[in-house]
Amino acid sequence: MKELLRSTDPTIMAFATALLEGEGIDCFQMDVNMSILEGGIGIFPRRMMVREADYDRAIRVMQDNDIPLGK
């Protein structure tokens, strides 16, 4: 797995997930529990991971939709 996206904004994460799933790219969000523990004030970013084989295609999907990668 390779990190594609890092964000504290849950709407960006949801939108990115929907776009990737629409393209048939599996993704997994990490640090969701840490984000919940901090009370939703946006201190800890969530990370979205994709398979290494899908990484280049996933980057293009994010760029085509003007989603900041937050790295």
Side-chain angles (χ1 to χ4, degrees):
M1 301 288 286
K2 195 167 181 178
E3 182 180 329
L4 172 69
L5 170 67
R6 185 180 295 222
S7 178
T8 57
D9 187 343
T11 58
I12 289 177
M13 298 301 279
F15 183 49
T17 299
L19 288 170
L20 292 171
E21 288 176 355
E23 294 290 326
I25 299 172
D26 292 328
C27 60
F28 178 76
Q29 287 189 34
M30 295 182 71
D31 306 319
V32 174
N33 292 333
M34 183 58 88
S35 180
I36 291 169
L37 286 174
E38 49 105 351
I41 57 176
I43 295 173
F44 298 109
R46 296 179 184 185
R47 295 177 291 159
M48 181 169 295
M49 310 297 280
V50 296
R51 290 188 182 118
E52 286 192 41
D54 294 330
Y55 183 76
D56 292 333
R57 197 165 59 131
I59 287 285
R60 282 193 300 275
V61 171
M62 297 297 104
Q63 291 172 340
D64 289 346
N65 290 280
D66 297 322
I67 296 178
L69 299 177
K71 292 184 181 179

